[in-house]
Amino acid sequence: MNKKGLTILMRARMRPSDPSKILLSPLADKVNRVAPDKQANQSGGSGMEPASENGNEQTNFSCRNRRPFELVKESMHSAISMNKTEVLDDVLNDFTEGYFSLSTESRKALLLSLAKEYDLNRAQVRELIKQYLGLELPKADPAEEGNVAEESSLSAFYRIERNLRHALKPAYEVLFERLNTHPGGLKFLSILRADILSILAEENIPSLRALDSYLKEKLGTWLSPATLELHQITWDYPASLLEKIVAYEAVHPISNLLDLKRRLGVGRRCFGYLHPAIPGEPLIFIEVALLKTVAQTIQEVLWDDPPILEHEATCALFYSISSTQPGLAGINLGKFLIKRVITLVKREMPQISTFATLSPIPGYMQWLLSKLASQLKLAETDDATHTSSDQSGSSFWENILEPEEERALLNLSEEYKAMTNGMEVMFNLLTTKDYAWTNSPEMLSVLKPPLMRLCARYLLQEKKRGKALDSVANFHLQNGAMVERINWMADRSEKGQHQSAGIMVNYVYRLENIEEYAQSYFSTGQIHSSDDILQYVKGVEA
């Protein structure tokens, strides 16, 4: 093993093996580098460096790294209010370093203070609105050239409108703007927002949600495509960057160095967006396989087949896209990344005619099991036994199985004949330990028709606020893709079984239709799909 490989392997082993843990602990990396852990605080060490033998130095180090809440809050106030640019960098350093020394509860208190105490002045806004409404509109057309008198009469409108625009900006905008131009500030802001999102996931606090909305808008502006650099990431890149690819791969974990080298080698591409203010760390990256046809299983993409000669490829398959920054959630960097990668690959390899994905369906099993559980609960509480043709019971009752699917499930074995309906059998099978049903050819044969049909229904018809319920589906559809095909047992991993019973979906980006499909989905929620997919839901009202 070469030196680079050893470095990547050692660093990757020091990180959490489960990428979800990285997402749940966005501060972990920064905290480990800046702030001492609880035990280190008690002993006087930083948790990263050996404790000093000198007792006074040890105490001083501990004090410097355990900044009290009030001191951090004071540095935050100074960072917002001060006008002395010559010391502003020092103040911002004090604030960011102090922030990481705070406990989770103290960080929450500080963010609440920022959201409430540095919000906009609503009394001032109300007063300006009153003044504005009290002005009398000019009778003449203000656009008429040479009408100096009318232009002059509008000066009061212009003045109040300017003051109103200024008053509608919260004071914390100053902090965000200053941090954005401060070394390391953009990365800090993404971590700050990750903390805000973590709090909001537990508790809906209106002032904090307003703070998040404002910061998200700012980050979206600062991370526009014009500021991002597209890189093709290869094995020749620094080990520190490749280690981040290993650590943040969220769809199909990279198992070892051979796996990583394969994903960066012949017949494969990896592209990432980097920002000059966050060097050496891709904000988002996408992995591409060059193939002859659109793959139906992730096994054939990752391991089963050796890569083809690149000049024989006619399909670029996007099989993984991962974000490295939880604080950038909701900022659609992937939209711009996919379109730029398509342009780049097409320019490099004109023979590529198909751009598709092999995507997970992360919400399918959660939706299906919830649907089955609710229907079984209704069946228990209703007096009558319902069938697919029985309309006398609860209006919420729905047998989601076709009659032939129901019969096949009830006839599986003697132990299931005692159950009242096929949905009960299906629920019990899908919730068995270690997904035992996947090892039985008979059960696979019986479950395939309903699982595939209901998966098509989930992707095409189940909506949230008029858009696809599944998060990955919504992402690709809003970027202009269409639903092409669903694939049985495409991901046999534990994660794949847990998320979608092993089913994966191909979305296709047709270059001539991308903008049209994106616009129709955005405006009306229309989901474009192939005839093969529509066959699964034919006759079912959307």
Side-chain angles (χ1 to χ4, degrees):
M1 183 184 298
N2 60 25
K3 187 176 180 181
K4 172 182 277 189
L6 181 61
T7 302
I8 297 169
L9 181 62
M10 293 303 295
R11 287 178 173 174
R13 285 180 175 176
M14 292 173 67
R15 279 183 172 268
S17 59
D18 182 358
S20 65
K21 293 180 181 178
I22 297 174
L23 300 182
L24 292 173
S25 305
L27 295 174
D29 183 56
K30 185 72 175 180
V31 170
N32 285 340
R33 286 186 277 114
V34 179
D37 59 25
K38 192 174 293 184
Q39 182 178 357
N41 279 339
Q42 292 170 353
S43 64
S46 68
M48 295 295 288
E49 300 176 283
S52 169
E53 294 180 3
N54 185 304
N56 291 333
E57 288 183 10
Q58 191 178 43
T59 303
N60 290 338
F61 184 86
S62 177
C63 290
R64 284 199 306 271
N65 285 272
R66 287 194 299 164
R67 302 188 179 200
F69 174 83
E70 289 75 15
L71 187 59
V72 180
K73 185 176 179 181
E74 182 181 335
S75 67
M76 180 178 74
H77 175 76
S78 298
I80 294 172
S81 60
M82 89 161 21
N83 294 318
K84 296 180 179 180
T85 55
E86 62 273 14
V87 295
L88 183 58
D89 279 348
D90 291 335
V91 172
L92 290 170
N93 283 334
D94 287 343
F95 169 61
T96 55
E97 291 175 12
Y99 180 84
F100 288 119
S101 74
L102 297 176
S103 66
T104 302
E105 285 303 311
S106 293
R107 287 197 291 270
K108 178 180 178 181
L110 188 73
L111 290 169
L112 286 172
S113 172
L114 180 64
K116 294 178 180 179
E117 297 175 27
Y118 297 90
D119 199 357
L120 56 86
N121 186 334
R122 289 182 175 78
Q124 182 185 14
V125 171
R126 286 173 63 90
E127 181 56 36
L128 287 168
I129 291 175
K130 287 180 182 178
Q131 293 177 26
Y132 191 81
L133 293 175
L135 296 176
E136 185 176 346
L137 288 169
K139 296 179 181 179
D141 183 2
E144 185 180 339
E145 293 185 9
N147 195 333
V148 179
E150 293 301 335
E151 271 290 321
S152 177
S153 68
L154 282 170
S155 61
F157 281 95
Y158 298 145
R159 175 178 52 80
I160 295 177
E161 286 164 357
R162 182 186 67 246
N163 293 339
L164 191 55
R165 283 194 297 271
H166 180 75
L168 284 170
K169 293 181 179 180
Y172 47 67
E173 182 191 60
V174 176
L175 179 65
F176 297 159
E177 295 278 1
R178 288 177 170 178
L179 281 168
N180 180 49
T181 58
H182 181 70
L186 186 61
K187 171 72 173 179
F188 174 79
L189 285 171
S190 73
I191 295 172
L192 196 75
R193 183 164 183 257
D195 271 5
I196 295 171
L197 291 174
S198 179
I199 297 168
L200 290 174
E202 301 294 329
E203 185 178 0
N204 185 19
I205 305 172
S207 59
L208 203 58
R209 192 163 293 283
L211 178 72
D212 170 63
S213 178
Y214 206 88
L215 180 53
K216 177 185 174 183
E217 183 178 338
K218 286 291 182 183
L219 288 170
T221 301
W222 295 328
L223 296 171
S224 67
T227 66
L228 298 171
E229 301 170 353
L230 181 63
H231 290 242
Q232 181 181 337
I233 299 167
T234 68
W235 183 254
D236 295 328
Y237 267 61
S240 58
L241 188 145
L242 298 184
E243 176 256 338
K244 290 180 172 64
I245 298 295
V246 175
Y248 289 111
E249 164 56 72
V251 185
H252 304 292
I254 298 173
S255 55
N256 51 44
L257 283 176
L258 180 62
D259 189 8
L260 174 63
K261 204 162 188 176
R262 175 182 167 86
R263 298 192 195 197
L264 302 177
V266 177
R268 300 292 182 268
R269 296 289 188 273
C270 180
F271 297 93
Y273 262 150
L274 280 81
H275 192 282
I278 311 177
E281 183 167 351
L283 305 182
I284 187 171
F285 60 92
I286 188 169
E287 295 169 72
V288 186
L290 303 176
L291 307 169
K292 288 184 178 180
T293 59
V294 179
Q296 298 186 47
T297 72
I298 195 60
Q299 290 82 227
E300 63 188 280
V301 174
L302 295 179
W303 291 112
D304 288 355
D305 296 322
I308 64 169
L309 297 176
E310 291 192 355
H311 70 269
E312 297 179 357
T314 60
C315 169
L317 186 86
F318 308 132
Y319 64 92
S320 178
I321 183 166
S322 302
S323 172
T324 67
Q325 310 294 321
L328 301 185
I331 300 173
N332 193 354
L333 301 178
K335 172 183 179 181
F336 306 113
L337 178 60
I338 287 176
K339 290 183 178 180
R340 287 188 64 181
V341 167
I342 289 175
T343 301
L344 195 63
V345 171
K346 190 68 177 175
R347 184 187 308 147
E348 179 191 352
M349 307 179 72
Q351 81 275 14
I352 298 290
S353 57
T354 302
F355 293 89
T357 80
L358 183 60
S359 299
I361 314 170
Y364 175 44
M365 283 299 284
Q366 181 181 3
W367 169 80
L368 178 58
L369 292 176
S370 175
K371 191 82 172 173
L372 289 169
S374 64
Q375 294 304 313
L376 293 175
K377 188 69 174 177
L378 280 174
E380 288 178 5
T381 55
D382 271 349
D383 294 331
T385 300
H386 302 286
T387 67
S388 58
S389 60
D390 182 12
Q391 302 296 323
S392 62
S394 169
S395 59
F396 296 104
W397 168 263
E398 176 194 11
N399 190 341
I400 62 175
L401 297 174
E402 298 290 340
E404 60 273 20
E405 296 168 351
E406 175 114 8
R407 285 192 296 270
L409 283 163
L410 289 172
N411 291 333
L412 262 177
S413 67
E414 289 297 326
E415 69 175 293
Y416 297 119
K417 285 187 176 180
M419 295 186 179
T420 57
N421 57 57
M423 288 191 293
E424 186 177 359
V425 177
M426 190 174 187
F427 183 84
N428 278 273
L429 286 174
L430 295 177
T431 54
T432 54
K433 187 178 180 181
D434 299 328
Y435 312 102
W437 62 274
T438 61
N439 299 317
S440 166
E442 183 185 11
M443 290 182 182
L444 283 170
S445 175
V446 169
L447 284 171
K448 180 179 179 179
L451 284 175
M452 292 286 278
R453 180 179 58 79
L454 290 168
C455 183
R457 165 181 165 174
Y458 171 71
L459 291 173
L460 300 184
Q461 297 176 339
E462 296 299 323
K463 303 287 187 73
K464 180 180 181 181
R465 301 189 184 98
K467 301 296 186 292
L469 180 61
D470 188 78
S471 59
V472 174
N474 182 60
F475 170 78
H476 287 294
L477 293 169
Q478 70 180 353
N479 292 342
M482 66 176 292
V483 187
E484 180 70 16
R485 181 177 64 197
I486 52 177
N487 305 295
W488 178 246
M489 286 293 116
D491 184 359
R492 292 179 174 272
S493 69
E494 183 177 348
K495 181 179 180 181
Q497 298 296 341
H498 174 73
Q499 289 186 337
S500 59
I503 302 173
M504 298 187 77
V505 56
N506 296 123
Y507 299 99
V508 170
Y509 286 86
R510 303 198 186 283
L511 303 186
E512 67 275 15
N513 299 125
I514 286 178
E515 296 303 328
E516 175 194 346
Y517 289 177
Q519 181 57 38
S520 61
Y521 180 72
F522 176 78
S523 58
T524 66
Q526 181 182 2
I527 296 175
H528 295 270
S529 60
S530 68
D531 290 339
D532 289 342
I533 289 287
L534 289 175
Q535 289 299 315
Y536 284 107
V537 293
K538 190 176 180 180
V540 181
E541 186 178 354

